[in-house]
Amino acid sequence: MNYHETIVSNEQLKDSTLCYWEMNGFIDLEEGIDLRYIPEGQNLLIFNFGNPIELLDTSEKNSFLSSPFFVIPAIASSRLFNQKGKIDLFGISFIADGLFNLIQQPISKLQNSFPINLKDKCEEMYAQMEQMTFTDRSELVESFLIGHIKQNNGNPSFSKAYKMIKEAKGCIKVSDLAKKVYVTERQLQRLFRIRLGISPKDYCKVVRVNSYIDFILNRENLVDWMELVVAFDYHDQPHLINEVKAISKLSPQKLLSYRDTLYDYYA
């Protein structure tokens, strides 16, 4: 499969939209290929011009993402998908409360539904994009986002807390965050669930684990586990291992085996 992305540089969108990306190719294996999506605290809007995608780690039988477009809300642990046949995906990766400012609906309520106020426009864009190149698709959705993301709908407490978590690489307590942004912990929990889709505690874990993953995948020599425990503010090695497994559903040792692979396909 082929994957590439374009980082959003438009000044109006850079605080709400990270990138546009595409994945395409053909998988002729009868059993398909299993791909693991490791959460990065982003909300995704995906247009599928290829075969349906099967969601594997679910209690629902025959759970296929057969819709031509769908949202994958920010999640706190990885999901496993199976893809086969024609692969042609175009996606938008939102950061912070970008998707919330587009749809004006609580992100935490999108687990099993698609934003009603976005459906008609997505149907229209889907029909237009089907025969377009990646560049043309990107320009089309960027024009749409500029016209529809509410630029003055931010929340200062959420924005400050989100930025602090990123800067601390997830190594910060929610109680300290709440004090620094002048809200109660309960208010902060509500802000994150509405605007991002997961709790501030879960978002801290996602950011910390992704920082850890980036570190070990780009390290040239052997990993010193105690160095990692200290660097990423874990209590001890079991705490590190358990949190990595909770988020990625892979052990740190298994993640190390991806050191020389195209990690995009696993994340």
Side-chain angles (χ1 to χ4, degrees), residues 170-196:
C171 302
I172 188 169
K173 294 180 179 178
V174 175
S175 57
D176 292 338
L177 269 175
K179 291 176 183 177
K180 291 178 183 294
V181 301
Y182 307 107
V183 295
T184 65
E185 287 187 51
R186 186 173 181 179
Q187 287 174 315
L188 192 62
Q189 294 271 359
R190 185 170 181 273
L191 279 173
F192 267 74
R193 290 193 178 280
I194 289 174
R195 290 180 168 268
L196 183 62

Side-chain angles (χ1 to χ4, degrees), residues 204-218:
C204 283
K205 290 180 179 180
V206 166
V207 170
R208 180 158 65 169
V209 166
N210 273 280
S211 297
Y212 161 83
I213 290 173
D214 288 341
F215 180 85
I216 64 170
L217 290 178
N218 289 292

Side-chain angles (χ1 to χ4, degrees), residues 24-214:
N24 54 49
F26 191 87
I27 300 173
D28 56 4
L29 298 174
E30 184 178 348
E31 67 275 18
I33 294 178
D34 295 346
L35 301 176
R36 183 169 296 283
Y37 169 63
I38 298 177
E40 296 184 18
Q42 300 168 3
N43 291 290
L44 307 179
L45 172 57
I46 299 174
F47 294 84
N48 184 7
F49 302 94
N51 285 22
I53 301 170
E54 184 178 6
L55 178 59
L56 298 178
D57 50 355
T58 177
S59 58
E60 299 178 14
K61 293 184 178 180
N62 300 321
S63 181
F64 284 86
L65 298 176
S66 56
S67 172
F69 45 83
F70 51 89
V71 169
I72 297 182
I75 52 178
S77 62
S78 70
R79 307 303 301 269
L80 190 64
F81 299 89
N82 179 273
Q83 292 180 269
K84 64 181 68 173
K86 179 184 177 183
I87 309 301
D88 186 359
L89 301 175
F90 176 88
I92 308 166
S93 293
F94 295 92
I95 52 176
D97 51 0
L99 181 61
F100 172 80
N101 288 329
L102 174 65
I103 65 174
Q104 295 295 291
Q105 296 178 35
I107 303 301
S108 56
K109 295 184 178 180
L110 294 182
Q111 295 295 331
N112 299 304
S113 61
F114 189 84
I116 299 299
N117 60 350
L118 195 59
K119 187 175 181 181
D120 289 345
K121 186 58 185 179
C122 282
E123 287 178 347
E124 179 185 332
M125 287 195 295
Y126 182 89
Q128 291 178 270
M129 285 194 289
E130 193 159 12
Q131 302 301 324
M132 284 183 173
T133 65
F134 174 69
T135 299
D136 290 338
R137 289 176 178 179
S138 300
E139 290 176 354
L140 177 67
V141 299
E142 183 157 286
S143 177
F144 166 70
L145 295 175
I146 290 172
H148 289 80
I149 288 182
K150 294 187 179 300
Q151 304 294 334
N152 301 315
N153 194 47
N155 180 281
S157 294
F158 170 83
S159 298
K160 186 176 179 180
Y162 180 89
K163 183 177 180 181
M164 290 174 66
I165 292 172
K166 295 285 286 185
E167 290 175 345
K169 295 184 178 180
C171 302
I172 188 169
K173 294 180 179 178
V174 175
S175 57
D176 292 338
L177 269 175
K179 291 176 183 177
K180 291 178 183 294
V181 301
Y182 307 107
V183 295
T184 65
E185 287 187 51
R186 186 173 181 179
Q187 287 174 315
L188 192 62
Q189 294 271 359
R190 185 170 181 273
L191 279 173
F192 267 74
R193 290 193 178 280
I194 289 174
R195 290 180 168 268
L196 183 62
I198 56 177
S199 70
K201 183 177 181 179
D202 282 339
Y203 184 61
C204 283
K205 290 180 179 180
V206 166
V207 170
R208 180 158 65 169
V209 166
N210 273 280
S211 297
Y212 161 83
I213 290 173
D214 288 341

Side-chain angles (χ1 to χ4, degrees), residues 76-78 202 205-206 208-209 212-213 225 229 234-253 255:
S77 62
S78 70
D202 282 339
K205 290 180 179 180
V206 166
R208 180 158 65 169
V209 166
Y212 161 83
I213 290 173
W225 292 105
V229 168
Y234 288 104
H235 300 312
D236 48 32
Q237 186 175 335
H239 180 207
L240 181 156
I241 293 172
N242 288 337
E243 188 163 286
V244 170
K245 290 175 73 173
I247 299 296
S248 69
K249 296 184 181 175
L250 295 169
S251 70
Q253 197 63 40
L255 282 169

